[in-house]
Amino acid sequence: MSVRVRFAPSPTGGLHLGGVRTVLYNYLFAKHHGGEFIVRIEDTDQTRFVPGAEEYIFECLKWCGLDADESVKHGGDYGPYRQSERKPMYRKYAEALVADGYAYYAFDTPEELEKMRDENRSEENPSPQYDHRLRKKMRNSLTLTDDEVKQLLADNTPHVIRIKMPENDVVSFTDMIRGEVSFQTGLVDDKVLLKADGMPTYHLAVVVDDYLMKITHAFRGEEWLPSASVHLLLWKYLGWESSMPEWAHLPLILGPNGKLSKRDGAKYGFPVFAMNWKDPKTNELTEGFKEKGFLPEAFVNMLALLGWNDGTEKELYSMDELIADFDIKRVHSAGAKFDYEKAKWFNHEWVKRKDVRSMMYDVRSVLAAHDIVTDDDAKLEKIIELVKERCTLLTDFVQHAGFFFKAPATLDFEAFKPKWTEEKKQFFELFAGKLDNLSVWDLHSIEQLFKDLAAEKNIKAGELQLPMRIMLVGGKFGPAVFQIAELIGKEETVARIQKALAEF
RNA sequence: GCCGCGUUGGUCAAGGGGUUAAGACGCCUCCCUUUCACGGAGGAAUCACGGGUUCGAAUCCCGUACGUGGUACCA
């Protein structure tokens, strides 16, 4: 049987690091086994609908190179892939569970539930559950007579369907990452399966849809582990036990102080979403890795290694290499703290190793955003090659490539001020003039002229290089000065020297 | 509170009864380079704690602590 996995996001906001990693592991597992990767939209909570969020998720996946085989966008034989559109099919399964005695109707209003919790709340029990103890005191088909229930249903009384958790049972399963895990059913509450609005909750929907979509392996975040017992029971009660997927509960990605939140991003200056997300309600913008200057290759590589390794020392992987080497069983069971420094290192490595031509578009966009026009492809290509080793993020190209196209706005005069002399100033005045008359404009000729003139004036060439660099690029950075001069051209070089001389 | 999951340098981590306990990021020193990087060579830094089991425990068992998640008609 072919491997089928799914990522099931709820379209309620930005796509988080952890979410992307869950997609990644799903994707890698599927592709490693030649299977299918499905994206299913879990939009059963109508109150949390956020316009644009679904579209945004697909854009993020596209940027990461994690395209689905089946989804709302890609189609497929197991649709619809949006749960809200599958609404009519859930009720019959919930009813079947009731008929078989595994679930029941509950007519308690939200107010009644709140009252129940208030009355039972105590130091020992801060969050009372609707469980096998309390269900006997509530208004449901277990406590009401058959006639009462029939009447209530006939009157269209708002109600939910809850699973009837066994009082004294133990369910266990083998998690692909954690091994044997077990739970006492009496400690879990009677989860709502079908809501009053007729929508399923996650618990029902995930089981029904995974079954209907023939999912073979179900990977999700560790936060689902406690409710796994409900899902396991549902697979059993619905009579589908033999086709239940294998489970893997992925470890959490943590921030500097516990759970990673988008607040951490703002607080510590790193992104937590894949791409920029603007909340349509508050207009609040949360920065994404893409816009921060990350390459998707690096983002994916970094995420893959956050919680997984192949047992060797290899750290740099292309997507194809990840697909080839990924093994869900080697995923760590412990949560991992996200390290932004390491994330940047991955990016730097990818900027250095990635083919220059494939970076042109991104670099050009970054520069354009700073009003730096780069129309000459050949020149841009050459420059990227020249400076990429000093660019950790794509946005660093503004500093390291920008001055090739646009004279620096400010010059770091302070860098050489203490050693600046009248003789040196004269040198540059003379040099600028001679440069103007240079017939062959190349690295060697410029450097030769510079050294000859320095020797003639009896000044150490080395001492003149820093001022020259500042005049050309504005600061203490960048590749060899003469190389820069060669690339920006005679006219521009002379102009920058003269402009600087006028200011110093 | 209860339940689940987890715990190897600051971070990511290999190792799963006998190792000088890998490697990477970050940090520090030096080399290269009259800039900044890249590259190279070094350095500091670790098995949460307490009990067992064993000739021998980072590795197996139990407990404690800590972290984290769940305990919704949210996913």
Side-chain angles (χ1 to χ4, degrees), chain A residues 24-53:
Chain A
L24 216 210
Y25 286 2
N26 266 291
Y27 181 87
L28 296 177
F29 182 85
K31 296 303 151 188
H32 181 86
H33 291 99
E36 269 88 55
F37 169 56
I38 294 122
V39 173
R40 181 174 71 216
I41 301 296
E42 307 239 346
D43 58 346
T44 54
D45 187 352
Q46 295 166 330
T47 64
R48 293 211 303 164
F49 174 76
V50 176

Short mmCIF file of all heavy atoms in Angstrom, two decimals, chain A residues 24-53:
data_model
loop_
_atom_site.label_atom_id
_atom_site.label_comp_id
_atom_site.label_asym_id
_atom_site.label_seq_id
_atom_site.Cartn_x
_atom_site.Cartn_y
_atom_site.Cartn_z
N LEU A 24 7.30 19.64 6.70
CA LEU A 24 8.55 19.13 6.16
C LEU A 24 8.71 17.63 6.44
O LEU A 24 9.03 16.85 5.54
CB LEU A 24 9.72 19.87 6.83
CG LEU A 24 10.99 20.22 6.07
CD1 LEU A 24 12.18 20.25 7.00
CD2 LEU A 24 11.26 19.38 4.85
N TYR A 25 8.51 17.26 7.69
CA TYR A 25 8.69 15.85 8.04
C TYR A 25 7.67 14.97 7.33
O TYR A 25 7.97 13.86 6.89
CB TYR A 25 8.62 15.66 9.57
CG TYR A 25 9.87 16.16 10.30
CD1 TYR A 25 10.92 16.75 9.62
CD2 TYR A 25 9.99 16.03 11.68
CE1 TYR A 25 12.05 17.21 10.28
CE2 TYR A 25 11.13 16.47 12.36
CZ TYR A 25 12.15 17.06 11.65
OH TYR A 25 13.28 17.50 12.32
N ASN A 26 6.45 15.49 7.20
CA ASN A 26 5.44 14.77 6.43
C ASN A 26 5.90 14.58 5.00
O ASN A 26 5.87 13.49 4.45
CB ASN A 26 4.13 15.58 6.41
CG ASN A 26 3.17 15.17 7.51
OD1 ASN A 26 2.62 14.07 7.48
ND2 ASN A 26 3.00 16.01 8.49
N TYR A 27 6.32 15.69 4.41
CA TYR A 27 6.73 15.70 3.02
C TYR A 27 7.92 14.77 2.77
O TYR A 27 7.92 13.96 1.86
CB TYR A 27 7.10 17.14 2.65
CG TYR A 27 7.52 17.34 1.22
CD1 TYR A 27 6.58 17.58 0.23
CD2 TYR A 27 8.87 17.30 0.86
CE1 TYR A 27 6.96 17.78 -1.09
CE2 TYR A 27 9.26 17.49 -0.46
CZ TYR A 27 8.31 17.73 -1.43
OH TYR A 27 8.69 17.92 -2.73
N LEU A 28 8.93 14.89 3.64
CA LEU A 28 10.12 14.07 3.47
C LEU A 28 9.80 12.58 3.59
O LEU A 28 10.28 11.76 2.82
CB LEU A 28 11.19 14.45 4.50
CG LEU A 28 11.75 15.87 4.38
CD1 LEU A 28 12.74 16.15 5.50
CD2 LEU A 28 12.42 16.08 3.02
N PHE A 29 8.95 12.28 4.55
CA PHE A 29 8.57 10.88 4.75
C PHE A 29 7.85 10.36 3.52
O PHE A 29 8.15 9.28 3.01
CB PHE A 29 7.68 10.76 5.99
CG PHE A 29 7.29 9.36 6.32
CD1 PHE A 29 8.13 8.55 7.09
CD2 PHE A 29 6.10 8.82 5.84
CE1 PHE A 29 7.78 7.23 7.39
CE2 PHE A 29 5.74 7.50 6.14
CZ PHE A 29 6.58 6.71 6.91
N ALA A 30 6.89 11.15 3.04
CA ALA A 30 6.12 10.73 1.87
C ALA A 30 7.03 10.53 0.66
O ALA A 30 6.98 9.49 0.00
CB ALA A 30 5.04 11.77 1.55
N LYS A 31 7.87 11.52 0.40
CA LYS A 31 8.71 11.44 -0.80
C LYS A 31 9.76 10.34 -0.67
O LYS A 31 10.12 9.69 -1.66
CB LYS A 31 9.39 12.80 -1.06
CG LYS A 31 8.42 13.91 -1.39
CD LYS A 31 7.55 13.57 -2.59
CE LYS A 31 6.18 14.23 -2.50
NZ LYS A 31 5.26 13.78 -3.55
N HIS A 32 10.24 10.15 0.54
CA HIS A 32 11.23 9.09 0.76
C HIS A 32 10.63 7.73 0.38
O HIS A 32 11.31 6.86 -0.14
CB HIS A 32 11.66 9.08 2.22
CG HIS A 32 12.68 8.04 2.55
ND1 HIS A 32 14.04 8.26 2.40
CD2 HIS A 32 12.56 6.77 2.99
CE1 HIS A 32 14.70 7.16 2.76
NE2 HIS A 32 13.83 6.24 3.12
N HIS A 33 9.32 7.60 0.67
CA HIS A 33 8.67 6.32 0.39
C HIS A 33 7.88 6.34 -0.91
O HIS A 33 7.08 5.44 -1.16
CB HIS A 33 7.75 5.94 1.55
CG HIS A 33 8.49 5.60 2.80
ND1 HIS A 33 8.68 6.49 3.84
CD2 HIS A 33 9.14 4.46 3.17
CE1 HIS A 33 9.40 5.91 4.79
NE2 HIS A 33 9.70 4.69 4.41
N GLY A 34 8.10 7.37 -1.70
CA GLY A 34 7.39 7.45 -2.97
C GLY A 34 5.90 7.60 -2.81
O GLY A 34 5.13 7.14 -3.66
N GLY A 35 5.48 8.22 -1.72
CA GLY A 35 4.05 8.34 -1.45
C GLY A 35 3.49 9.72 -1.74
O GLY A 35 4.13 10.55 -2.37
N GLU A 36 2.27 9.95 -1.24
CA GLU A 36 1.59 11.21 -1.49
C GLU A 36 1.53 12.09 -0.24
O GLU A 36 1.34 11.60 0.86
CB GLU A 36 0.14 10.96 -1.93
CG GLU A 36 -0.02 10.86 -3.41
CD GLU A 36 0.18 9.43 -3.88
OE1 GLU A 36 -0.52 8.55 -3.36
OE2 GLU A 36 1.07 9.21 -4.72
N PHE A 37 1.64 13.38 -0.51
CA PHE A 37 1.55 14.37 0.56
C PHE A 37 0.28 15.20 0.33
O PHE A 37 0.11 15.80 -0.72
CB PHE A 37 2.80 15.25 0.54
CG PHE A 37 2.69 16.46 1.41
CD1 PHE A 37 2.40 16.35 2.76
CD2 PHE A 37 2.90 17.73 0.88
CE1 PHE A 37 2.29 17.48 3.57
CE2 PHE A 37 2.81 18.86 1.67
CZ PHE A 37 2.50 18.73 3.01
N ILE A 38 -0.59 15.17 1.31
CA ILE A 38 -1.88 15.82 1.19
C ILE A 38 -1.99 17.00 2.16
O ILE A 38 -1.54 16.90 3.30
CB ILE A 38 -3.00 14.80 1.51
CG1 ILE A 38 -3.00 13.71 0.43
CG2 ILE A 38 -4.37 15.45 1.60
CD1 ILE A 38 -2.81 12.34 0.95
N VAL A 39 -2.57 18.09 1.69
CA VAL A 39 -2.84 19.20 2.61
C VAL A 39 -4.36 19.31 2.76
O VAL A 39 -5.08 19.44 1.78
CB VAL A 39 -2.27 20.53 2.08
CG1 VAL A 39 -2.73 21.68 2.97
CG2 VAL A 39 -0.75 20.47 2.07
N ARG A 40 -4.78 19.22 3.99
CA ARG A 40 -6.21 19.27 4.29
C ARG A 40 -6.46 20.47 5.20
O ARG A 40 -5.76 20.65 6.19
CB ARG A 40 -6.61 17.98 5.01
CG ARG A 40 -8.07 17.89 5.36
CD ARG A 40 -8.40 16.53 5.92
NE ARG A 40 -7.85 16.30 7.25
CZ ARG A 40 -7.38 15.12 7.68
NH1 ARG A 40 -7.36 14.08 6.88
NH2 ARG A 40 -6.92 15.00 8.90
N ILE A 41 -7.39 21.27 4.83
CA ILE A 41 -7.66 22.48 5.62
C ILE A 41 -8.66 22.17 6.74
O ILE A 41 -9.78 21.74 6.50
CB ILE A 41 -8.22 23.60 4.72
CG1 ILE A 41 -7.22 23.94 3.61
CG2 ILE A 41 -8.54 24.84 5.54
CD1 ILE A 41 -5.89 24.50 4.10
N GLU A 42 -8.22 22.39 7.96
CA GLU A 42 -9.07 22.11 9.13
C GLU A 42 -9.76 23.39 9.57
O GLU A 42 -9.30 24.07 10.49
CB GLU A 42 -8.22 21.54 10.27
CG GLU A 42 -7.40 20.34 9.84
CD GLU A 42 -7.71 19.08 10.64
OE1 GLU A 42 -8.36 19.18 11.69
OE2 GLU A 42 -7.29 18.00 10.19
N ASP A 43 -10.86 23.68 8.91
CA ASP A 43 -11.55 24.94 9.20
C ASP A 43 -12.92 24.69 9.83
O ASP A 43 -13.90 25.28 9.44
CB ASP A 43 -11.69 25.75 7.92
CG ASP A 43 -12.44 24.98 6.84
OD1 ASP A 43 -12.61 23.75 6.99
OD2 ASP A 43 -12.87 25.60 5.86
N THR A 44 -12.96 23.78 10.79
CA THR A 44 -14.25 23.45 11.40
C THR A 44 -14.69 24.47 12.44
O THR A 44 -15.83 24.45 12.87
CB THR A 44 -14.19 22.07 12.07
OG1 THR A 44 -13.09 22.04 12.98
CG2 THR A 44 -14.02 20.99 11.04
N ASP A 45 -13.78 25.33 12.85
CA ASP A 45 -14.18 26.35 13.81
C ASP A 45 -14.49 27.64 13.06
O ASP A 45 -13.60 28.41 12.71
CB ASP A 45 -13.06 26.59 14.83
CG ASP A 45 -13.52 27.53 15.93
OD1 ASP A 45 -14.64 28.10 15.81
OD2 ASP A 45 -12.78 27.70 16.91
N GLN A 46 -15.76 27.86 12.86
CA GLN A 46 -16.16 29.02 12.06
C GLN A 46 -15.87 30.34 12.76
O GLN A 46 -15.74 31.36 12.11
CB GLN A 46 -17.65 28.90 11.72
CG GLN A 46 -17.91 27.70 10.83
CD GLN A 46 -19.38 27.32 10.75
OE1 GLN A 46 -20.14 27.53 11.68
NE2 GLN A 46 -19.77 26.76 9.61
N THR A 47 -15.78 30.27 14.07
CA THR A 47 -15.53 31.52 14.79
C THR A 47 -14.09 31.99 14.65
O THR A 47 -13.77 33.14 14.94
CB THR A 47 -15.82 31.36 16.30
OG1 THR A 47 -14.90 30.40 16.83
CG2 THR A 47 -17.23 30.88 16.53
N ARG A 48 -13.23 31.09 14.19
CA ARG A 48 -11.83 31.48 14.08
C ARG A 48 -11.38 31.73 12.64
O ARG A 48 -10.19 31.82 12.36
CB ARG A 48 -10.93 30.41 14.73
CG ARG A 48 -11.13 30.33 16.24
CD ARG A 48 -9.87 29.92 16.94
NE ARG A 48 -9.33 28.66 16.48
CZ ARG A 48 -8.10 28.24 16.73
NH1 ARG A 48 -7.27 28.99 17.43
NH2 ARG A 48 -7.69 27.08 16.29
N PHE A 49 -12.33 31.80 11.77
CA PHE A 49 -11.99 32.01 10.37
C PHE A 49 -11.24 33.32 10.16
O PHE A 49 -11.64 34.37 10.63
CB PHE A 49 -13.27 32.01 9.52
CG PHE A 49 -13.02 32.37 8.10
CD1 PHE A 49 -12.47 31.43 7.23
CD2 PHE A 49 -13.30 33.65 7.61
CE1 PHE A 49 -12.22 31.76 5.90
CE2 PHE A 49 -13.04 33.98 6.28
CZ PHE A 49 -12.50 33.04 5.43
N VAL A 50 -10.13 33.24 9.47
CA VAL A 50 -9.35 34.44 9.18
C VAL A 50 -9.17 34.54 7.67
O VAL A 50 -8.57 33.66 7.05
CB VAL A 50 -7.97 34.40 9.86
CG1 VAL A 50 -7.15 35.62 9.46
CG2 VAL A 50 -8.12 34.34 11.37
N PRO A 51 -9.71 35.58 7.07
CA PRO A 51 -9.59 35.70 5.61
C PRO A 51 -8.14 35.79 5.18
O PRO A 51 -7.32 36.47 5.80
CB PRO A 51 -10.34 37.00 5.30
CG PRO A 51 -10.68 37.64 6.59
CD PRO A 51 -10.44 36.68 7.69
N GLY A 52 -7.82 35.06 4.12
CA GLY A 52 -6.47 35.13 3.58
C GLY A 52 -5.51 34.12 4.16
O GLY A 52 -4.46 33.85 3.60
N ALA A 53 -5.86 33.54 5.29
CA ALA A 53 -4.92 32.64 5.96
C ALA A 53 -4.65 31.37 5.15
O ALA A 53 -3.53 30.88 5.10
CB ALA A 53 -5.45 32.28 7.35
#
